[in-house]
Amino acid sequence: MCGIFAYTGRKNAVPILLDGLSSLEYRGYDSAGVYCPASGSVKSVGAVGNLLKNIDGLSGESGIAHIRWATHGEPTEKNAHPHRDCTGKVWVVHNGIIENYLDLKKKLAMKSHRFSSDTDTEVLAHLVEEHLKKKKSFEAAVVQALREVRGTYGAVFAYETEPDKLVAARMGAPVVLGLGSHENFVASDPSPIMRHTKDAIFMKDGEVAVITPDTHTVYNLNFDRIDRAAEKIEGDAEAIKKGGYRHFMLKEIMEEPDVVKNTLRGRLLTKNGLAKLGGLESVAERLRGVKRIIIVGCGTAYYAGLAGEYMLEGHAGLPVEVEVGSEFRYRKPVLDNSTALVAISQSGETADTLEAVREAKRQGILTLGIINAVGSTIARETDAGIYNHAGPEIGVASTKAFISQLTALALLTLFLGRQRGMSLAEGKRIAEELTRIPEKIASILKDERKIKAVAKKYKDCRDFLYMGRTYNYPVALEGALKLKEISYIHAEGYGAGEMKHGPLAMIDGSFPTVAIAPSGSVYEKMLSNIQEIRARKGPIIAVSTAGDKMMRQFASDTMFIPETIEMLSPLLAVVPLQLFAYHIATLRKLDVDRPRNLAKSVTVE
Ligand code: AGP
């Protein structure tokens, strides 16, 4: 998720653009840049402040600006937006993912276009250049160019030949027009606009807007003019950054249907039951020879790895072991070249995980990353990998990243399984169910109020046990971690079969147990464990499959999830637990986004 901001008016655009970018830094901050048709462009790696070092020569009464969360291409100055065409007259800033950018790039290169970045975004500028050659107007060239694009964009185009005109476009990524007096604005969200004007047009998918200091016109992709009335921007800037939600954590949980879509985007060949993972192409043949996988991660990433173990062993026939980074690096792991190490990390900077990667590389084994932050240290030091495309995760408690990690592990399972004899039918079954996961998560999110009511009932308990089996044993661990790290309540995750080997001794009427018991191969076993607890008067909070009437006999409270295949049940079962933890912590009036003693990225041992 990147931030775009543009201005055209009568004032010096540069300070306005820089100020606007600062309010968008929550959307990503690995590089930034500004282009003014009157004087050129400045870009820098890192946060907006770094732009100030060489901004002196820049001025003009219009411009486009961008703050980047890298999706394609490392976070370097050459990959920073704005991007230009061959002539240097057409410039663009973009938020989103151009799915068919490689095909477009090939076609443009055959017409002698030369590219100066590794990004998907740059093709947009060259496409407009191509259509301008056909003597089209700037805005008509943009519309024609966008008709060739597949994917998502919130974009603004500038053209040196018409310096006061900007062309904005929206498809799947938000774009807001700010309407001022002899000045107009475009942004990814209202936060940089509202200090100038509260009059706005929230663009819709498939719309293109042409703005000058005194005019704004909206078109569809057939270049038909559309009448759109302005409305008032509501709320304050902080609320807008959180998407209107009270906390980033809740916003990020609510983003999870889209996060799964973005992680899957362009990677599922459903008809052939295959996963297309561009980040693994360079090592695909080496992966055929891999006979053992070691997954390494910390905290939530480690729990995602545990779920991945069940996926890979169950559907790809690969032996897997999972280790926390802080332990792996001090073991004397026995590795050989038929082993591959998979490092899972949202930040890509976790020291314990990074050192595990380095140990594996010292022993010459193949290293892969499942990483959210593009161009991060672990992403750069692993041989290949899968980017999550989950967007920045601001809340310290990981939620959408966990869902994305599970999705990426399911894709990896499909990729490796189909290399190892997984049938077409099985591959299609998994692929088709993956496409249904976003809507299934969305249906759970609609039950937030019911989950909040359950949270309210138990918010004062001092201890919780979370239990699950097979795929949902890692979910029990993750659910317990979510609760303890934001509510500071003692919570333990356990394999349900372990209850009678000790934990059962703690159970009494004041000690609730969260039992993750969706339909599946171990459902009956879970019922037995639940009955063991009920016999000791332990309250049961169940996560069950919708329609499960049996559970009503045993559970004091139930949070329902839709039916799915067992391998993907963790992607659904964890969602109620994230909301449960969130609401207990907010009811206890704690700082959900910044829990005490914790940091978002643990870059020290
Ligand atoms: C999870 O809610 C925590 N914030 C923490 O356990 C986190 O998952 C862990 O530090 C690993 O971080 P990474 O994914 O950035 O490597």
Side-chain angles (χ1 to χ4, degrees):
M1 166 169 82
C2 304
I4 61 175
F5 187 43
Y7 171 83
T8 181
R10 304 272 189 273
K11 300 168 191 161
N12 179 1
V14 175
I16 293 170
L17 293 170
L18 292 177
D19 179 57
L21 281 189
S22 303
S23 72
L24 291 170
E25 281 194 319
Y26 78 95
R27 299 175 68 88
Y29 35 72
D30 57 41
S31 56
V34 178
Y35 165 72
C36 293
S39 53
S41 72
V42 171
K43 302 183 185 185
S44 69
V45 175
V48 178
N50 295 353
L51 275 177
L52 297 176
K53 292 171 191 156
N54 42 17
I55 204 89
D56 293 348
L58 211 57
S59 68
E61 294 180 339
S62 67
I64 59 177
H66 186 271
I67 185 96
R68 187 170 182 238
W69 171 267
T71 57
H72 292 74
E74 311 262 306
T76 57
E77 199 166 309
K78 78 164 183 169
N79 287 333
H81 301 212
H83 287 292
R84 47 166 283 186
D85 68 341
C86 300
T87 68
K89 291 183 183 299
V90 179
W91 291 73
V92 62
V93 290
H94 165 236
N95 174 31
I97 296 177
I98 307 296
E99 268 181 50
N100 62 332
Y101 85 99
L102 287 174
D103 295 343
L104 293 170
K105 205 165 177 176
K106 274 188 204 126
K107 281 186 200 150
L108 288 162
M110 284 161 72
K111 294 177 181 172
S112 312
H113 284 266
R114 290 288 164 269
F115 294 87
S116 53
S117 81
D118 309 323
T119 66
D120 55 338
T121 298
E122 193 185 349
V123 298
L124 296 176
H126 292 273
L127 282 174
V128 172
E129 178 192 357
E130 268 307 297
H131 287 284
L132 279 170
K133 287 176 186 168
K134 300 165 189 165
K135 303 289 179 239
K136 290 192 174 77
S137 69
F138 174 36
E139 52 267 35
V142 170
V143 170
Q144 289 308 314
L146 292 174
R147 290 166 66 92
E148 298 184 53
V149 165
R150 221 178 43 247
T152 59
Y153 50 80
V156 190
F157 296 81
Y159 186 34
E160 188 188 283
T161 313
E162 298 183 71
D164 69 346
K165 183 186 282 182
L166 300 175
V167 181
R170 175 191 161 139
M171 182 67 78
V175 175
V176 186
L177 304 183
L179 309 177
S181 170
H182 306 300
E183 58 183 14
N184 283 320
F185 308 79
V186 188
S188 314
D189 70 42
S191 51
I193 290 173
M194 54 201 302
R195 65 200 69 182
H196 304 286
T197 176
K198 295 269 189 166
D199 295 322
I201 291 175
F202 292 82
M203 291 179 70
K204 293 177 181 159
D205 282 355
E207 291 183 344
V208 175
V210 180
I211 67 171
T212 65
D214 295 297
T215 65
H216 65 275
T217 315
V218 180
Y219 299 90
N220 61 22
L221 285 176
N222 294 323
F223 212 25
D224 304 325
R225 186 165 170 166
I226 302 171
D227 288 329
R228 293 290 314 280
E231 53 191 287
K232 287 294 182 195
I233 296 173
E234 305 295 338
D236 61 37
E238 198 52 25
I240 285 165
K241 289 177 188 173
K242 292 170 186 164
Y245 293 104
R246 201 171 146 203
H247 298 102
F248 279 111
M249 182 177 174
L250 184 57
K251 171 175 177 278
E252 287 151 8
I253 292 171
M254 294 299 172
E255 287 174 354
E256 287 173 353
D258 284 341
V259 164
V260 172
K261 286 179 190 165
N262 287 335
T263 305
L264 293 174
R265 197 180 298 283
R267 291 168 162 172
L268 265 186
L269 303 177
T270 312
K271 285 194 182 60
N272 308 321
L274 291 171
K276 182 172 162 253
L277 296 171
L280 298 187
E281 269 169 21
S282 61
V283 296
E285 282 319 300
R286 273 187 76 178
L287 283 169
R288 281 184 192 283
V290 163
K291 293 184 172 44
R292 171 182 171 230
I293 286 184
I294 296 177
I295 300 176
V296 171
C298 299
T300 289
Y302 167 65
Y303 299 145
L306 286 175
E309 177 179 17
Y310 288 98
M311 293 181 185
L312 289 161
E313 290 192 338
H315 297 272
L318 271 166
V320 177
E321 61 184 89
V322 189
E323 184 65 275
V324 289
S326 52
E327 286 301 314
F328 179 81
R329 56 187 299 210
Y330 294 109
R331 277 176 38 188
K332 294 273 177 283
V334 178
L335 308 173
D336 64 31
N337 59 17
S338 69
T339 303
L341 181 130
V342 178
I344 303 176
S345 176
Q346 189 284 129
S347 64
E349 300 299 343
T350 299
D352 291 327
T353 309
L354 174 59
E355 286 310 317
V357 168
R358 288 173 174 166
E359 176 55 28
K361 286 177 75 80
R362 270 192 289 275
Q363 299 203 33
I365 74 161
L366 177 64
T367 56
L368 306 181
I370 294 179
I371 310 294
N372 194 33
V374 172
S376 56
T377 307
I378 298 175
R380 277 184 286 108
E381 296 199 12
T382 42
D383 299 308
I386 304 169
Y387 277 127
N388 291 96
H389 296 325
E393 186 175 65
I394 309 297
V396 166
S398 188
T399 52
K400 66 174 184 175
F402 181 68
I403 294 282
S404 179
Q405 288 160 357
L406 295 175
T407 305
L409 285 160
L411 287 168
L412 181 63
T413 300
L414 203 46
F415 184 90
L416 295 174
R418 296 284 274 123
Q419 278 188 343
R420 288 166 175 74
M422 179 195 283
S423 70
L424 169 62
E426 177 66 355
K428 284 176 74 169
R429 187 175 79 99
I430 293 170
E432 284 162 1
E433 183 61 14
L434 271 171
T435 62
R436 297 185 196 102
I437 291 297
E439 78 206 39
K440 293 187 175 184
I441 292 177
S443 69
I444 300 168
L445 297 176
K446 287 196 181 86
D447 281 347
E448 184 196 356
R449 287 168 60 83
K450 293 176 189 165
I451 296 167
K452 182 175 179 178
V454 179
K456 194 167 183 174
K457 185 173 170 185
Y458 294 92
K459 70 180 177 66
D460 297 322
C461 291
R462 292 174 46 78
D463 301 283
F464 283 80
L465 212 59
Y466 284 68
M467 66 176 190
R469 283 177 178 261
T470 69
Y471 288 99
N472 288 298
Y473 161 50
V475 174
L477 298 172
E478 171 61 11
L481 174 62
K482 281 297 89 55
L483 184 67
K484 65 185 132 191
E485 70 174 324
I486 61 174
S487 69
Y488 318 149
I489 296 171
H490 167 245
E492 278 182 78
Y494 252 92
E498 273 294 285
M499 294 308 291
K500 53 192 171 301
H501 300 292
L504 203 55
M506 297 188 293
I507 297 301
D508 61 25
S510 69
F511 199 128
T513 297
V514 178
I516 301 116
S519 60
S521 61
V522 291
Y523 176 75
E524 302 299 334
K525 292 270 185 246
M526 284 301 297
L527 278 187
S528 311
N529 297 132
I530 287 168
Q531 288 172 26
E532 285 166 9
I533 289 170
R534 293 297 292 140
R536 278 85 182 172
K537 302 202 182 343
I540 290 287
I541 305 164
V543 176
S544 300
T545 300
D548 178 348
K549 296 200 174 23
M550 175 84 81
M551 193 57 74
R552 291 185 193 283
Q553 300 171 44
F554 307 110
S556 323
D557 295 274
T558 304
M559 300 183 279
F560 288 105
I561 62 174
E563 180 80 44
T564 186
I565 62 176
E566 204 159 346
M567 168 185 159
L568 300 181
S569 60
L571 283 84
L572 302 184
V574 76
V575 177
L577 304 185
Q578 293 172 341
L579 288 171
F580 180 72
Y582 170 79
H583 283 298
I584 285 187
T586 45
L587 288 164
R588 291 168 68 104
K589 300 188 182 351
L590 296 169
D591 186 348
V592 170
D593 285 334
R594 287 177 295 276
R596 66 184 183 196
N597 311 337
L598 301 180
K600 183 58 187 171
S601 179
V602 184
T603 55
V604 293
E605 283 191 53

